[in-house]
Amino acid sequence: MACQNDETLSAYGAAGKTWVLTELDGAAFPARATLEFPQAGELAGQAPCNRFFGAQTVPYPWFKAENIAATKMACPDLPAEGQFLTALSEMTLSEVLGDTMILSNDAGREMVFKAR
């Protein structure tokens, strides 16, 4: 795979930044959650309670968070974490506009992230 060009979201402005979730489905997100793209085809971040990682291999502007795994620590924000990870797994489109990244799907769900 080292010879192939990266056609994922990473190559279109998302790599090298920590993306902080600010809105989920039009409402301010009540906890802190981040998303990063450490290498081509990978995603990782900090959900409200746990670190997570997975794969993201579809070409931009499509998006698919695959094989998401997370650590198993409990905290008061577990409900928000469930909302975040569920929404992330349902996103199918991506758009990067400077320091804003929007993930969405055709069911009307949307996640808005700001680069930190």
Side-chain angles (χ1 to χ4, degrees):
M1 176 128 174
C3 297
Q4 297 176 346
N5 289 334
D6 180 12
E7 294 294 328
T8 69
L9 180 59
S10 301
Y12 288 85
K17 299 175 183 174
T18 297
W19 297 95
V20 178
L21 181 64
T22 58
E23 292 179 31
L24 177 59
D25 298 330
F29 192 66
R32 179 169 167 79
T34 66
L35 180 59
E36 299 173 7
F37 301 91
Q39 294 184 43
E42 295 180 2
L43 57 82
Q46 178 68 50
C49 299
N50 292 284
R51 298 270 320 144
F52 69 92
F53 55 92
Q56 200 291 117
T57 57
V58 297
Y60 184 82
W62 308 112
F63 180 84
K64 184 175 182 183
E66 302 174 282
N67 304 318
I68 296 175
T71 56
K72 302 286 186 190
M73 294 178 17
C75 81
D77 287 329
L78 274 177
E81 177 160 315
Q83 292 174 339
F84 171 73
L85 292 174
T86 296
L88 187 64
S89 70
E90 294 176 356
M91 298 297 111
T92 57
L93 285 171
S94 60
E95 184 174 10
V96 176
L97 304 164
D99 69 347
T100 301
M101 178 175 66
I102 300 169
L103 302 180
S104 61
N105 68 19
D106 57 9
R109 299 206 69 193
E110 183 178 84
M111 301 175 85
V112 178
F113 294 83
K114 295 287 183 183
R116 179 182 58 145

